[in-house]
Amino acid sequence: MTAGPILCERLRIPPVDPAVLKPTQWATAQQKAKLGNAILRFIALGMPAEKFTPALYNRLSNMYGFIAHYNRTGFAQTWFDNAATRRDFLDQVARYPCWGDPTFVWSDVEKEIGQRVRENLLVEAWTTRAREEQVAREKAELARLQAKHGGTATAADAPVPTVQLGLL
């Protein structure tokens, strides 16, 4: 029923350069670049839930205004369950204002990833995929109902709903 992931390898090119990142008290610029590149790789692969590692969860649950949820599985179910949730994830990444001084937070990495998501039109691509999945689900439901009830219903067969207004 699903068409598969949307792959976007160009999202990763060029890799995030540690020279343009600021180290924090807790992470070097090299560590920020390494994890930023891992996030880009995950997005480029279509955000498969099985590739959502503990390291990605620990970092992403502290970026873009996301919350940790109950655990990594809960985060993945919320954001990587289908095309619509993946679109919502990328929309949040693309729109997030990236607050904070990069010497204290990962706002420099957030800005870089958000920019690449916008440049590659990933929200739009996943919006289209979400619509395709919805149509496929609706067609499958229609076929199931037609098999159950027989016949082929059309809009002309449907009764026109009436609305009665009453006084309160």
Side-chain angles (χ1 to χ4, degrees):
M1 181 155 83
T2 176
I6 294 174
L7 306 178
C8 185
E9 188 60 29
R10 70 177 176 249
L11 187 72
R12 301 174 58 195
I13 302 166
V16 176
D17 182 1
V20 301
L21 303 176
K22 303 280 187 212
T24 70
Q25 178 180 348
W26 305 274
T28 66
Q30 290 77 15
Q31 290 169 320
K32 289 171 82 173
K34 181 179 178 185
L35 204 44
N37 287 315
I39 293 166
L40 288 170
R41 181 174 44 256
F42 174 70
I43 295 170
L45 291 172
M47 298 163 283
E50 66 275 7
K51 301 248 186 221
F52 188 56
T53 64
L56 289 175
Y57 166 69
N58 289 335
R59 177 49 39 207
L60 281 171
S61 66
N62 288 292
M63 293 173 75
Y64 299 105
F66 291 120
I67 59 169
H69 296 270
Y70 183 70
N71 56 26
R72 182 171 58 101
T73 301
F75 191 102
Q77 288 171 342
T78 299
W79 297 109
F80 312 123
D81 191 48
N82 57 54
T85 59
R86 286 178 176 95
R87 180 224 29 236
D88 293 345
F89 172 83
L90 290 171
D91 187 55
Q92 188 156 332
V93 168
R95 291 173 174 254
Y96 193 72
C98 306
W99 289 306
D101 182 334
T103 59
F104 293 97
V105 296
W106 287 50
S107 58
D108 48 357
V109 177
E110 289 174 324
K111 286 177 186 173
E112 179 67 27
I113 294 170
Q115 180 65 33
R116 292 180 188 211
V117 166
R118 288 187 299 278
E119 287 173 353
N120 286 281
L121 304 175
L122 285 177
V123 174
E124 294 81 356
W126 281 99
T127 297
T128 299
R129 181 60 52 82
R131 277 193 217 112
E132 292 167 354
E133 283 186 4
Q134 180 65 30
V135 167
R137 279 192 305 274
E138 289 172 355
K139 286 181 177 181
E141 178 66 4
L142 176 61
R144 185 189 70 76
L145 291 170
Q146 286 175 332
K148 179 179 178 181
H149 297 289
T152 56
T154 65
D157 298 333
V160 177
T162 59
V163 177
Q164 292 183 333
L165 299 176
L167 298 175
L168 296 177

